[in-house]
Amino acid sequence: MITEAHCIQLDQNDELAHLRQQFALPPQTIYLDGNSLGAQPHAALEQAQHIIRQEWGTDLIKSWNQAGWFNRPLSIGNELAPLIGAHPNEVAVTDSTSVNLFKGAAAALHMQRSQNATAQRRVIVTERSNFPTDIYILEGLKHFLNDGYELRLVDHPEHIHQAIDTDVALVVLTHVNYRTGYMLDMAAISAHAHQQGALILWDLCHSAGAVPIDLHAAQADLAIGCTYKYLNGGPGSPAFIWVPEKHQAQFTQPLTGWWAHQSPFEMQPSFQDSGDIRAALCGTQPIISLSLVSSGLAVFKQTSMAKIRTKSLALTDLFIQLIEERCADHPLHLETPREHAQRGSQVSIAHPHGYAVIQALIERGVIGDYREPHIMRFGFTPLYTSFQDVWQAVAILKDVLDNQKYDTNLEKNAVT
Amino acid sequence: MITEAHCIQLDQNDELAHLRQQFALPPQTIYLDGNSLGAQPHAALEQAQHIIRQEWGTDLIKSWNQAGWFNRPLSIGNELAPLIGAHPNEVAVTDSTSVNLFKGAAAALHMQRSQNATAQRRVIVTERSNFPTDIYILEGLKHFLNDGYELRLVDHPEHIHQAIDTDVALVVLTHVNYRTGYMLDMAAISAHAHQQGALILWDLCHSAGAVPIDLHAAQADLAIGCTYKYLNGGPGSPAFIWVPEKHQAQFTQPLTGWWAHQSPFEMQPSFQDSGDIRAALCGTQPIISLSLVSSGLAVFKQTSMAKIRTKSLALTDLFIQLIEERCADHPLHLETPREHAQRGSQVSIAHPHGYAVIQALIERGVIGDYREPHIMRFGFTPLYTSFQDVWQAVAILKDVLDNQKYDTNLEKNAVT
């Protein structure tokens, strides 16, 4: 049986433990929701004050050049690139995940039509359990193109391979499932998609900053993701889009705003594609929210994704083991794979009264969240989660379950 | 001849003069570029600190409900609505101007196809001198629809009426031209477009917060605009989109992200349109940059657009008159209409060495900007520009021109 003393010992041996000091975490709170909204780096507050006072308040319009505002989607993209195995000038931090998926999927279908003029590939493959916005955006694109495209929704991760055949133009998959934490084999699925002549776009919302990613090694075609979960960029901070150099010359997307123009300040009356990563941009970006992504990324520069992964697996293993040891009498069902290769950095557990139980935990300072149906989701962010946090969270969960301290009459509220 | 004493007198009689104290303006600077990036309201700094410390740092994920983050695009839209003659629940503050134009134009074309199943309207009218991103976005939309659409670019505002005939599906016009400051007659052009069976979308980037606007009185169909110019929302703060109630049931746009879904948190595997203003949303918004729009709008609540317009015209009249009295020997050409009904809140003046002259002014603390070809652009924002500012700006311009204090060898840099 694992003891609290053992968990404290794990913290003492944890070489990432000192990074927790760089985050503002509320007292009496065990925050296991960094997979939804990452904690606030102290540096973000100082950075925001500087941008507002100096760059906006004092330097005003000059900051577009002088402070590098205009280039910030690409300069922050370059800061993010090493975390996902991207090369310099392949990542733009801009717009939302949904908008970037629209751009990327539209560009991929355009590439397919250009490269295979005679082919009639009209199938887009994704998972039915993908985060809904991914499916919705593909539906919107399909209607908009009005050219015979259909969505093929896969019902289980093990059926993905067989769903990708020679009718498929594009595969859109989320690397780590938002609900279950199931991690797909990016390299194997990408290789299979290419064998079938399909392009593949990866959504990294639940894996960027959570697990090591090497997009080039996996031979992915395009990727998108958010910066406000494990990357700690702040609420709704702009998302990213990865366009590898091999595809940049062919990358053309419908949202051709002036930031994607070859020479935006010549104010020409016709669009000329930049031909580089800027082709993934559209319009003017929210500079304050965008800039704070840097404060989140700065913490990652002090360690490595390999070390983060080691601690992440240790945290999720510990959580699973403690629940099995201490809450065995309750109807809990582990939704997250036990195999390390199939696990992201979250653990999802179903309970018949999952919504009520998670509310009871939140009231007691253990912040997880709820996802339909019945799923309690706990995110483990190695930069600021301790092993003792895991012990305490399970102790509180055990108390809530053992003593039925949850209200099954609770109405569901919007929870993101 | 106007004297500086007269300008000081105008300031003493100015009932908006006290509002200037609410903005952080750098010393020794006359900021005539609020038409590009509005000044920083002091309240924006306090608001950002609160959001970062309390809403993000302490309350974390709870703030999506508790602090109203999820509803903020609509709650700030409701704050903005009175400035443009919109009703409650008709405005969303979200994404960029370019993205919103894409949504609005795509939705308008979709409405046309639905309402006129047999009609072959395939022309989109805009001005060749429109801000380029508007033209680029329409080009991108045209290519991706791949359905025979063509752009008809009008070369002079007086030719707009005749360009709108029964082949036209959609008219997209910017109310006040970014380069010349020319203001179009929104009601007359909208009425003509409707007579011809076209829909009309107005870009309010250079008029929201600058001139009185009544979208309902003008019977406009859709509108978009930015919040970082006259509205002082901060660098790149999210843009807005107006969908009047009469069009909400038919409004469908391709960027169908989860924020546009009827029930976003039910995580359904198929998109269901909200049928209200949320149909104009797409994905998660940059909450910090979005929220600060409120601090900008708060200043407008202390006065009225009628009072702002009166002062705006007095400022631009004074600027034009002083230039004509004091700089008459120089090759300056007024690009902005003299007629009040055709003038926004900026004055554009061409000079053969416009770029060099504007750089010399900026070095001397008079911040205007440059637009191709040869145009010096000066924005007058009644909330924080004084009549004495105008006097001093012209005095410095006169000195720069009289004594040729500008360097005609300067290379052009990106200037936004």
Side-chain angles (χ1 to χ4, degrees), chain A residues 84-361:
Chain A
I84 57 173
H87 297 162
N89 303 317
E90 290 187 338
V91 180
V93 179
T94 187
D95 295 331
S96 68
T97 304
S98 299
V99 169
N100 287 338
L101 175 57
F102 185 85
K103 296 173 190 166
L109 296 180
H110 187 264
M111 281 192 250
Q112 278 285 13
R113 286 196 300 272
S114 309
Q115 287 164 18
N116 303 289
T118 58
Q120 290 299 313
R121 293 173 178 272
R122 285 295 180 272
V123 174
I124 303 170
V125 168
T126 191
E127 284 194 274
R128 193 181 302 278
S129 69
N130 201 343
F131 187 76
T133 209
D134 290 34
I135 300 174
Y136 303 161
I137 285 287
L138 295 173
E139 287 183 314
L141 181 61
K142 182 186 84 167
H143 289 303
F144 174 59
L145 288 175
N146 190 26
D147 196 18
Y149 284 99
E150 57 173 286
L151 291 192
R152 186 177 289 171
L153 299 182
V154 184
D155 282 308
H156 192 281
E158 287 171 14
H159 300 159
I160 290 173
H161 273 258
Q162 72 196 59
I164 304 173
D165 58 27
T166 53
D167 292 332
V168 176
L170 174 65
V171 180
V172 175
L173 292 171
T174 296
H175 185 207
V176 175
N177 189 281
Y178 79 103
R179 224 158 34 92
T180 62
Y182 191 113
M183 182 164 69
L184 298 175
D185 185 336
M186 185 183 285
I189 297 173
S190 297
H192 176 69
H194 289 161
Q195 277 164 14
Q196 302 296 314
L199 292 170
I200 188 156
L201 184 158
W202 288 96
D203 179 339
L204 307 178
C205 278
H206 287 270
S207 47
V211 299
I213 301 168
D214 191 336
L215 287 165
H216 276 287
Q219 298 199 28
D221 291 301
L222 296 167
I224 55 151
C226 84
T227 64
Y228 52 77
K229 300 180 193 291
Y230 294 94
L231 296 176
N232 309 310
S237 53
F240 64 86
I241 178 165
W242 171 70
V243 183
E245 208 193 335
K246 66 179 174 186
H247 287 321
Q248 288 183 3
Q250 290 77 43
F251 186 90
T252 170
Q253 50 93 5
L255 297 166
T256 48
W258 66 310
W259 283 46
H261 196 281
Q262 214 171 53
S263 310
F265 294 100
E266 288 181 10
M267 305 283 166
Q268 295 166 355
S270 185
F271 184 72
Q272 294 294 327
D273 198 300
S274 70
D276 57 25
I277 183 63
R278 290 178 298 143
L281 300 176
C282 180
T284 304
Q285 292 303 298
I287 292 299
I288 299 171
S289 285
L290 170 63
S291 302
L292 302 194
V293 175
S294 272
S295 288
L297 293 173
V299 187
F300 285 87
K301 290 180 186 161
Q302 302 163 52
T303 180
S304 69
M305 283 310 304
K307 288 182 181 172
I308 288 171
R309 177 62 169 167
T310 301
K311 181 173 173 187
S312 162
L313 288 170
L315 289 166
T316 52
D317 277 344
L318 176 66
F319 186 70
I320 292 168
Q321 198 178 341
L322 280 173
I323 282 188
E324 290 179 341
E325 285 182 5
R326 297 167 57 83
C327 305
D329 300 340
H330 299 286
L332 294 171
H333 181 259
L334 181 67
E335 300 282 327
T336 302
R338 287 173 195 279
E339 296 79 2
H340 284 180
Q342 292 180 347
R343 191 195 304 162
S345 197
Q346 77 179 58
V347 177
S348 295
I349 296 169
H351 182 280
H353 298 293
Y355 183 78
V357 175
I358 203 81
Q359 296 309 315
L361 290 176

Side-chain angles (χ1 to χ4, degrees), chain B residues 108-120:
Chain B
L109 295 181
H110 186 265
M111 281 191 249
Q112 278 285 11
R113 286 196 301 272
S114 311
Q115 287 164 17
N116 302 288
T118 56
Q120 290 300 310

Side-chain angles (χ1 to χ4, degrees), chain A residues 24-26 31 33 36-41 44-45 48-49 51-53 56-58 60-62 64-65 69-70 95-96 98-99 102 106-107 110 113 128 131-133 135-137 139-141 144-145 153 178 228 232-238 252-259 261 265-271 282-290 292 362 367 371-372 413-416, chain B residues 24-26 29 31 33 36-41 44-45 48-49 51-53 56-58 60-62 64-65 69-70 95-96 98-99 102 106 128 131-133 135-137 139-141 144-145 153 178 228 232-238 254-259 261 263-271 282-290 292 362 367-369 371-372 413-416:
Chain A
L25 290 161
Y31 191 63
D33 214 355
S36 187
L37 173 64
Q40 180 226 315
L45 179 61
Q49 288 167 335
I51 295 167
I52 295 173
R53 282 194 187 116
W56 176 16
T58 301
L60 284 153
I61 198 72
K62 295 177 197 171
W64 280 106
N65 296 314
W69 285 353
F70 196 70
D95 295 331
S96 68
S98 299
V99 169
F102 185 85
H110 187 264
R113 286 196 300 272
R128 193 181 302 278
F131 187 76
T133 209
I135 300 174
Y136 303 161
I137 285 287
E139 287 183 314
L141 181 61
F144 174 59
L145 288 175
L153 299 182
Y178 79 103
Y228 52 77
N232 309 310
S237 53
T252 170
Q253 50 93 5
L255 297 166
T256 48
W258 66 310
W259 283 46
H261 196 281
F265 294 100
E266 288 181 10
M267 305 283 166
Q268 295 166 355
S270 185
F271 184 72
C282 180
T284 304
Q285 292 303 298
I287 292 299
I288 299 171
S289 285
L290 170 63
L292 302 194
I362 291 169
I367 317 290
R371 284 293 177 267
E372 295 291 351
N413 263 319
V415 181
T416 54
Chain B
L25 289 161
T29 300
Y31 191 62
D33 214 357
S36 187
L37 172 64
Q40 179 226 315
L45 178 63
Q49 288 167 334
I51 295 167
I52 295 173
R53 284 194 187 119
W56 177 14
T58 302
L60 284 152
I61 197 73
K62 294 177 197 170
W64 281 106
N65 295 315
W69 286 353
F70 196 70
D95 295 330
S96 67
S98 299
V99 169
F102 185 85
R128 192 182 303 279
F131 188 76
T133 210
I135 300 174
Y136 303 162
I137 286 287
E139 287 182 316
L141 182 61
F144 265 78
L145 287 175
L153 300 181
Y178 80 104
Y228 53 76
N232 310 310
S237 53
L255 297 166
T256 47
W258 67 310
W259 283 45
H261 196 281
S263 311
F265 294 99
E266 288 181 12
M267 305 282 167
Q268 297 166 354
S270 184
F271 183 73
C282 180
T284 305
Q285 290 304 298
I287 292 299
I288 301 171
S289 285
L290 170 64
L292 302 195
I362 291 169
I367 316 291
D369 64 22
R371 282 294 178 266
E372 294 289 354
N413 263 317
V415 180
T416 55

Side-chain angles (χ1 to χ4, degrees), chain B residues 153-272:
Chain B
L153 300 181
V154 184
D155 283 307
H156 192 282
E158 286 172 13
H159 301 158
I160 289 172
H161 272 259
Q162 71 194 61
I164 305 172
D165 57 27
T166 54
D167 292 332
V168 176
L170 174 64
V171 180
V172 174
L173 292 171
T174 297
H175 185 208
V176 175
N177 188 280
Y178 80 104
R179 225 160 34 92
T180 62
Y182 192 116
M183 182 163 70
L184 299 175
D185 185 337
M186 185 183 281
I189 297 174
S190 297
H192 177 68
H194 290 160
Q195 277 164 14
Q196 302 296 313
L199 292 170
I200 188 158
L201 184 158
W202 288 96
D203 178 339
L204 307 178
C205 279
H206 287 269
S207 46
V211 299
I213 300 168
D214 192 335
L215 287 164
H216 276 286
Q219 299 200 25
D221 292 300
L222 296 166
I224 56 152
C226 83
T227 63
Y228 53 76
K229 300 181 192 290
Y230 294 94
L231 297 176
N232 310 310
S237 53
F240 65 87
I241 180 165
W242 171 70
V243 182
E245 209 193 334
K246 65 178 175 185
H247 287 320
Q248 287 181 4
Q250 291 77 43
F251 186 90
T252 170
Q253 50 94 4
L255 297 166
T256 47
W258 67 310
W259 283 45
H261 196 281
Q262 213 170 56
S263 311
F265 294 99
E266 288 181 12
M267 305 282 167
Q268 297 166 354
S270 184
F271 183 73
Q272 294 295 327

